[in-house]
Amino acid sequence: MNAPGPPRIARALLRVAAPREDRDFIIADLDEEFAADSLSRGRTRATTAYLAQVMLSIPPLIRQRLTRPSDDLHPRARMLTDLATDFRQSVRSLRREPGFAAFTIAILALGIGVNSAMFGVVDRLLVRGPEHLRDAGAVRRIQVSLRPQGMEMVRTGWFPYAAYDAISDANAFLDVAAYSVSENAILFGRGADARRINRGEATPNLFTLFGVQPAVGRFFDAHENDVIAPQRVAVLGYGLWQREFAGRADAVGKAIMLDNAQYEVIGVAPKGFTGPDLLRVDVWLPESGIGRQRVGSGDWTKSWNSMWLSIVARLKSGISDAQADAEITALHQRAYGGRDSAMAKATLAVRPIHYTRDGEESSEQRVSRWLAAVAIIVLLIACANVVNLLLARAIRRQRELAVRLTLGAGRFRLIRHLLIETMTLAGAGGMVGLIVAYGVGTVMRASLIPGIEWPSGPVNPRVIGLSVAVVLLVGVVVGLVPAIQASAPDLSAALKAGVREGGGRRSRLRAGLTVAQSALSVVLLVSAGLFVISLQRVRQMDLGLQPDRVLAISIQRQSTAGITDSVARQRERDRRLAFYPEMLARLRARPDVEAASLTIGLPFVSGFGDNLRVPGRDSIPSLPGGGPFLSAVSDGYFATVGTRIVRGRAFGPADRAGSAPVAIINETMAETLWPGDSPIGKCFYSGPAALCAEIVGIAADTRRFRLREERAMAWYIPFGQEQGIGGTQLLIRPRGDPAHLLADIRREFIDADNSIVFVDGALLQDRLDPQIRPWRLGAAMFSLMGVLALVVAAAGLYSLISYFVTHRTHELGVRIALGAQTSNIIALVMRGGLGLAAGGIVAGIGLSVLTARWLEPLLFDTSATDLRVLAGVVVVLLAAATLASIVPALRAGRVNPIEAMRAE
Amino acid sequence: MAALAHLQGDAPGGEIRREIQRRANRTVAIGAVYATLARLEAKGLVRFYVEGPRPTPGGRARKHAVLTSSGERALRRTVTMFDRMLDGLTPRVSAQRT
């Protein structure tokens, strides 16, 4: 067997760099030394020495070749040396005009940087799909579509285990897996250090379906996921492994505490593995263990009521989506054993894997698609601007270029030289752009799209690759037209005249580019305005309660299952029940608490649909918003959450367990069940209650789950009178800083009751924020890019008007000499600038109206042709154009006619 | 040129490089040696000849540099000038030379 030789790439580099007559000897010398070194010092050191020799040799060899006649050069090497010469000249000529160079590089850096940052986001959200997924094109999510009676079509991606079981043998698929990922769903550790982490649960074949390999250890298998006796084994997420076990391989085999139960760590998922969703997963557990807990008693695998799983499948090759849809719909309908008639007729469909768990594109994805388009617009504006500047510069350099052509430089060579110049500018812009991309990307990730696991930094190889491609493209696009124009000047005119000549065609091109820039800025600013208004509308929307003022707290306790004595167990349960009122009293006594109350069922957190009967009514109409919904609330609830009592009274301390049944209903329920009549004093049967509850008040409607939802009936009963619903939340309306209060309460609760293992608390607003995020993302990014575009376009207009003033100094001088007033001259120049801006505004408004159709679905209660926004943008653009034109106009007004004419 | 003189005025590029490395105790790039030799050749101070491959496995042709008579003269002159320039300098500098 031949011993491996020196690195091939190094040898190839040497071959290109070395002169032909020495090439073979140099290589032979180094190869000989490499062979000797390999024997005496080992291959690694020999390779290092070889590489060092090559890297050190290339500069002197190239220098040697550059300093002698080039006729014996290898053609590729000659091209390289020519390019190097052009590059050196470009750098020199750009250094002569540092202002021009800096401005151009800055504009390109913004354009390229913003694009790279947006690419990073779009790449993650729309293109790449989940990490570690082999052959992602063949993997699909399953979505179910059903139309409940009286409601619109509902599409979701949540299934019971029984549905997974029904379709897991479908012929269309190679493999079908079920999983669920929940944020802050499981308690990790114990005592004061315990905290909630993100839990993933999966059938073992999720890992084989992905084709993912563990970083350490192994994933769980079918035996450990046994539906009757699942094992307590855990696979750590890579991040948790790094944080808690410092990435040590001996973490495998250790025991960890999850929800106060001991689990054995059997492996670690690889870095960036999140399953089909993009959410970080801290620990993966076998599905069966969680499924049993969720469904409770009975054979949990046969229940059709609890839906918590998402299903993914790998299609067999040659099977179309439609074929798969038909097969799984048939399997599901045949197997369905629940009582929901809409679900029995539901259709199933396969959807792309990068969609959300509901099988739809998320709002972030839709907004980011728009933002990618916007980033391209910003780049176009930047390019138009740079082309403009280059055209102006080409006119300044007309004479220099004419001299070169006359001295025998070929036109091709000249174009190449000019292109190298723009490439140099674009390259520098690209490098600075990566810094911009890092900044913009970091901010976007942290503030606008949190909760997504990013396997690499904002500037990663793919982003750099895109930047390089953009730089090359921009270099050519931006440079080509000015280069071709500049390389074919009218030689005799250029050599004779001063800098004055520009040519009408060229001026028209520049004016057209300026108009295009303004038009595109208008489009961006209009979009920004629309998103800002949407965000404002979302924030000002009357939700019926004040989520930013309400702290919702829930308590997790040790299970009472360990208490074997039934009397002791009942005593413990009673003690726990009494704990809430005690704590409520203590909280209300605090000076930093304005109001506090208890509730079961809370908007944006949990909701309970229940039946009701009204004496004298056969049926209860079903509303498109679903429901009716029931909550059990203590006295002070409405004051705590900030919901208005429209009529009647709120619950008082006397409304409690065992007191006379009373109820408060919402406005929709009052209007639906007692139209045109006062419901106060009437009564109805709440759920399974045997006694008719008297209506004592009417509360304002509140949102229940989403910002956008149909009205639904809802009623409230006193806390303690509820039957069959549970999950008490403690609500606090703090006076001061909620974070400080929360820390205090946590300590107080854990000290007061040793059965409490975790106190979970957050502002209600935090639950709502993910829903507001798309508008926030849109408003922030469109505003940023709109302002960038405006600044760049204004700078472009300024440079154009300045150029016109310089270009027409002679003409202006003549006008002044002939008696024109300063004001006439200023007006003349301003007219030019504002005329261009006006052209841009008209075109931009036209474009905005055309794109309105696509933008409108992303907005919130805002028309895409909102007149206030359009008018505002017109004013802003005119103001910017005035600012950009006024400085050159004033300069024009100060032209000294004698000097202007003498200069010619 | 001094290294070449140490090698009896006739040596291939690789050996010249090793000689400089050994005496100066620093890494020298083979490219720099060939580039320098090419410059010296242009000035007529060295000339080249190619030695055919040796009859051993892996034997390769080598390009030898030979010090020309004007090269020798130039080296001698440089050394003499250098000596004269250093003559009479402080003992510390002289001591370092030896």
Side-chain angles (χ1 to χ4, degrees):
Chain A
M1 197 183 78
N2 278 338
R8 273 199 204 156
I9 178 127
R11 198 191 273 177
L13 278 174
L14 207 53
R15 196 167 278 285
V16 173
R20 200 182 308 154
E21 71 273 11
D22 289 341
R23 198 174 292 152
D24 294 338
F25 298 111
I26 293 178
I27 290 171
D29 273 347
L30 283 184
D31 283 1
E32 219 169 75
E33 196 163 293
F34 176 82
D37 269 1
S38 292
L39 283 179
S40 62
R41 298 161 62 198
R43 192 175 141 68
T44 313
R45 294 179 76 170
T47 305
T48 313
Y50 192 94
L51 286 175
Q53 271 299 321
V54 171
M55 295 327 285
L56 290 171
S57 291
I58 288 174
L61 289 172
I62 297 235
R63 260 200 307 278
Q64 179 195 355
R65 300 180 67 177
L66 289 178
T67 49
R68 61 185 195 175
S70 61
D71 47 309
D72 72 326
L73 280 183
H74 187 286
R76 243 174 307 168
R78 185 182 311 164
M79 198 179 76
L80 275 182
T81 56
D82 285 355
L83 287 180
T85 314
D86 278 345
F87 175 71
R88 270 204 309 273
Q89 282 179 357
S90 305
V91 172
R92 264 206 300 273
S93 89
L94 289 174
R95 278 170 68 174
R96 277 200 299 272
E97 292 179 86
F100 164 81
F103 186 66
T104 317
I105 290 171
I107 288 177
L108 287 175
L110 284 178
I112 296 170
V114 168
N115 267 275
S116 304
M118 274 320 302
F119 171 77
V121 172
V122 170
D123 189 37
R124 185 79 188 110
L125 292 184
L126 294 172
V127 182
R128 289 175 88 170
E131 290 287 307
H132 299 284
L133 177 57
R134 182 176 45 84
D135 186 17
V139 180
R140 301 281 188 279
R141 286 176 182 279
I142 313 292
Q143 185 192 46
V144 58
S145 307
L146 65 156
R147 188 189 293 277
Q149 203 184 0
M151 286 174 73
E152 292 187 1
M153 185 70 99
V154 177
R155 294 194 171 82
T156 82
W158 303 84
F159 293 90
Y161 187 86
Y164 163 70
D165 214 18
I167 64 168
S168 58
D169 291 329
N171 282 322
F173 303 130
L174 282 173
D175 206 353
V176 184
Y179 76 97
S180 180
V181 173
S182 321
E183 255 181 302
N184 299 323
I186 198 164
L187 196 64
F188 175 71
R190 64 163 99 206
D193 294 336
R195 62 198 163 84
R196 288 193 185 236
I197 58 172
N198 295 357
R199 176 189 65 200
E201 51 196 280
T203 52
N205 59 347
L206 180 76
F207 307 111
T208 45
L209 187 146
F210 260 69
V212 58
Q213 296 299 324
V216 182
R218 60 181 180 85
F219 292 120
F220 37 81
D221 56 25
H223 165 67
E224 283 156 333
N225 187 46
D226 189 88
V227 294
I228 297 162
Q231 312 279 305
R232 284 198 172 148
V233 291
V235 173
L236 299 180
Y238 193 87
L240 189 78
W241 179 52
Q242 292 292 327
R243 284 194 303 276
E244 299 294 328
F245 295 93
R248 285 196 314 272
D250 64 2
V252 172
K254 290 237 160 73
I256 55 172
M257 293 302 289
L258 296 171
D259 270 354
N260 280 312
Q262 189 169 317
Y263 282 74
E264 184 197 346
V265 175
I266 56 165
V268 177
K271 190 176 181 189
F273 179 69
T274 58
D277 299 346
L278 300 180
L279 192 72
R280 187 191 76 238
V281 176
D282 293 317
V283 63
W284 287 99
L285 303 177
E287 173 47 48
S288 296
I290 310 291
R292 288 168 64 83
Q293 285 174 23
R294 285 196 196 252
V295 178
S297 54
D299 183 356
W300 68 277
T301 60
K302 298 283 185 284
S303 164
W304 286 89
N305 296 328
S306 295
M307 291 178 238
W308 74 98
L309 287 172
S310 297
I311 304 177
V312 289
R314 185 177 283 281
L315 279 175
K316 280 184 184 157
S317 69
I319 299 284
S320 72
D321 285 7
Q323 284 170 301
D325 293 352
E327 190 189 0
I328 53 178
T329 299
L331 285 172
H332 184 260
Q333 289 181 353
R334 200 176 313 145
Y336 185 70
R339 281 176 300 186
D340 183 342
S341 59
M343 187 57 96
K345 285 184 283 185
T347 54
L348 269 60
V350 295
R351 310 286 283 159
I353 185 72
H354 68 256
Y355 281 17
T356 62
R357 291 186 73 178
D358 280 337
E360 302 287 328
E361 224 177 17
S362 71
S363 334
E364 277 96 348
Q365 283 171 333
R366 274 181 293 144
V367 172
S368 71
R369 201 187 286 279
W370 263 90
L371 288 174
V374 167
I376 292 172
I377 294 183
V378 171
L379 185 64
L380 285 179
I381 295 179
C383 287
N385 206 313
V386 171
V387 171
N388 236 337
L389 291 169
L390 286 172
L391 283 172
R393 183 162 182 259
I395 295 166
R396 283 201 299 279
R397 293 170 72 189
Q398 216 169 36
R399 211 159 172 185
E400 171 202 333
L401 298 176
V403 169
R404 283 193 189 202
L405 278 173
T406 338
L407 291 179
R411 190 169 171 213
F412 171 73
R413 176 87 202 241
L414 212 56
I415 292 179
R416 195 180 67 190
H417 173 74
L418 291 170
L419 275 182
I420 295 277
E421 228 169 70
T422 52
M423 285 285 183
T424 309
L425 284 171
M431 278 190 256
V432 183
L434 285 180
I435 301 174
V436 175
Y438 186 84
V440 174
T442 309
V443 170
M444 282 187 72
R445 287 174 173 207
S447 57
L448 301 170
I449 338 177
I452 283 180
E453 170 91 350
W454 300 88
S456 50
V459 175
N460 52 50
R462 284 169 71 99
V463 168
I464 293 175
L466 176 99
S467 299
V468 170
V470 172
V471 162
L472 291 176
L473 190 72
V474 165
V476 172
V477 166
V478 161
L480 207 55
V481 174
I484 289 173
Q485 282 207 355
S487 66
D490 177 352
L491 283 184
S492 57
L495 288 172
K496 268 189 289 184
V499 293
R500 201 157 62 86
E501 269 61 32
R505 197 155 46 96
R506 205 169 284 183
S507 307
R508 274 197 300 280
L509 177 60
R510 298 196 58 196
L513 286 169
T514 310
V515 169
Q517 284 180 55
S518 319
L520 293 174
S521 321
V522 168
V523 175
L524 290 189
L525 285 174
V526 167
S527 312
L530 293 173
F531 267 97
V532 169
I533 289 195
S534 291
L535 184 61
Q536 232 169 30
R537 295 239 160 101
V538 170
R539 287 206 174 126
Q540 287 167 358
M541 194 170 55
D542 180 14
L543 301 171
L545 72 170
Q546 297 164 320
D548 54 330
R549 301 289 314 277
V550 183
L551 207 52
I553 293 173
S554 61
I555 292 169
Q556 189 179 342
R557 296 171 184 269
Q558 282 166 8
S559 162
T560 52
I563 307 172
T564 43
D565 177 30
S566 64
V567 177
R569 187 158 61 219
Q570 192 52 47
R571 202 182 311 129
E572 172 63 14
R573 281 185 184 151
D574 292 345
R575 189 187 70 77
R576 290 183 180 189
L577 272 180
F579 176 78
Y580 283 111
E582 263 173 48
M583 273 298 138
L584 195 60
R586 270 159 77 168
L587 280 173
R588 282 175 174 165
R590 288 177 67 112
D592 51 358
V593 171
E594 193 180 320
S597 60
L598 298 171
T599 181
I600 299 173
L602 180 65
F604 307 113
V605 177
S606 57
F608 299 93
D610 207 347
N611 298 319
L612 59 88
R613 284 172 296 132
V614 179
R617 257 187 178 274
D618 293 341
S619 65
I620 302 298
S622 64
L623 297 186
F629 295 98
L630 162 70
S631 308
V633 303
S634 75
D635 64 307
Y637 169 82
F638 295 99
T640 313
V641 298
T643 298
R644 252 174 338 114
I645 294 291
V646 184
R647 238 182 307 158
R649 66 170 177 92
F651 294 138
D655 301 310
R656 57 166 75 181
S659 69
V662 288
I664 292 172
I665 61 174
N666 74 347
E667 288 173 293
T668 302
M669 185 158 155
E671 285 160 21
T672 312
L673 299 182
W674 292 276
D677 195 4
S678 169
I680 305 275
K682 303 255 175 11
C683 86
F684 67 96
Y685 294 91
S686 165
L691 292 173
C692 203
E694 185 196 339
I695 298 169
V696 294
I698 300 174
D701 281 352
T702 65
R703 293 287 193 284
R704 292 172 319 282
F705 298 107
R706 307 203 58 82
L707 290 171
R708 279 173 161 164
E709 61 184 13
E710 301 283 350
R711 279 154 52 111
M713 292 192 282
W715 81 98
Y716 306 86
I717 57 170
F719 187 82
Q721 292 188 4
E722 74 281 353
Q723 293 177 45
I725 58 172
T728 305
Q729 301 257 345
L730 231 162
L731 304 181
I732 299 172
R733 192 179 181 86
R735 278 215 170 84
D737 173 23
H740 182 72
L741 180 63
L742 185 62
D744 237 24
I745 290 173
R746 255 197 193 126
R747 253 195 320 275
E748 199 173 325
F749 277 31
I750 291 179
D751 288 349
D753 185 340
N754 58 10
S755 73
I756 294 178
V757 288
F758 190 68
V759 178
D760 190 16
L763 277 180
L764 217 45
Q765 183 70 35
D766 296 347
R767 305 279 191 152
L768 192 59
D769 270 346
Q771 293 188 39
I772 301 179
R773 217 180 287 147
W775 294 291
R776 192 175 289 156
L777 177 68
M781 292 311 292
F782 272 101
S783 300
L784 172 73
M785 297 203 201
V787 170
L788 277 183
L790 182 70
V791 170
V792 171
L797 186 65
Y798 168 80
S799 82
L800 186 72
I801 303 290
S802 301
Y803 170 73
F804 276 143
V805 170
T806 318
H807 172 62
R808 292 165 71 179
T809 306
H810 178 73
E811 177 203 326
L812 295 174
V814 172
R815 280 174 186 256
I816 293 171
L818 291 178
Q821 298 295 309
T822 308
S823 57
N824 298 130
I825 298 293
I826 293 179
L828 177 78
V829 177
M830 293 291 290
R831 246 196 329 269
L834 293 179
L836 288 176
I841 289 171
V842 171
I845 298 283
L847 267 176
S848 300
V849 172
L850 279 179
T851 50
R853 193 152 56 95
W854 294 292
L855 191 61
E856 212 151 70
L858 296 174
L859 302 174
F860 188 90
D861 284 350
T862 307
S863 155
T865 50
D866 188 298
L867 280 181
R868 280 176 310 161
V869 172
L870 295 181
V873 169
V874 170
V875 170
V876 167
L877 216 87
L878 282 178
T882 310
L883 270 178
S885 319
I886 198 122
V887 177
L890 291 176
R891 203 164 59 226
R894 285 198 302 270
V895 165
N896 181 339
I898 301 168
E899 275 176 22
M901 280 145 73
R902 193 185 291 150
E904 285 298 309
Chain B
M1 269 165 72
L4 189 53
H6 275 297
L7 296 167
Q8 278 71 50
D10 178 345
E15 272 180 39
I16 299 174
R17 178 173 73 84
R18 280 189 287 275
E19 183 67 18
I20 303 174
Q21 282 194 168
R22 198 172 59 77
R23 289 184 173 273
N25 198 22
R26 68 182 179 91
T27 310
V28 179
I30 183 77
V33 171
Y34 272 90
T36 311
L37 287 174
R39 272 207 309 281
L40 295 176
E41 190 207 16
K43 292 178 186 168
L45 303 178
V46 297
R47 64 183 169 76
F48 293 117
Y49 73 92
V50 175
E51 176 198 25
R54 287 176 195 170
T56 54
R60 286 168 169 144
R62 287 152 197 275
K63 186 175 176 178
H64 282 246
V66 181
L67 211 52
T68 60
S69 49
S70 56
E72 274 177 38
R73 273 202 302 281
L75 181 61
R76 240 192 329 268
R77 199 165 51 241
T78 309
V79 172
T80 315
M81 293 298 283
F82 199 61
D83 272 343
R84 281 193 207 148
M85 289 302 295
L86 295 183
D87 195 24
L89 273 182
T90 60
R92 209 161 57 96
V93 175
S94 306
Q96 273 185 347
R97 269 192 75 213
T98 52

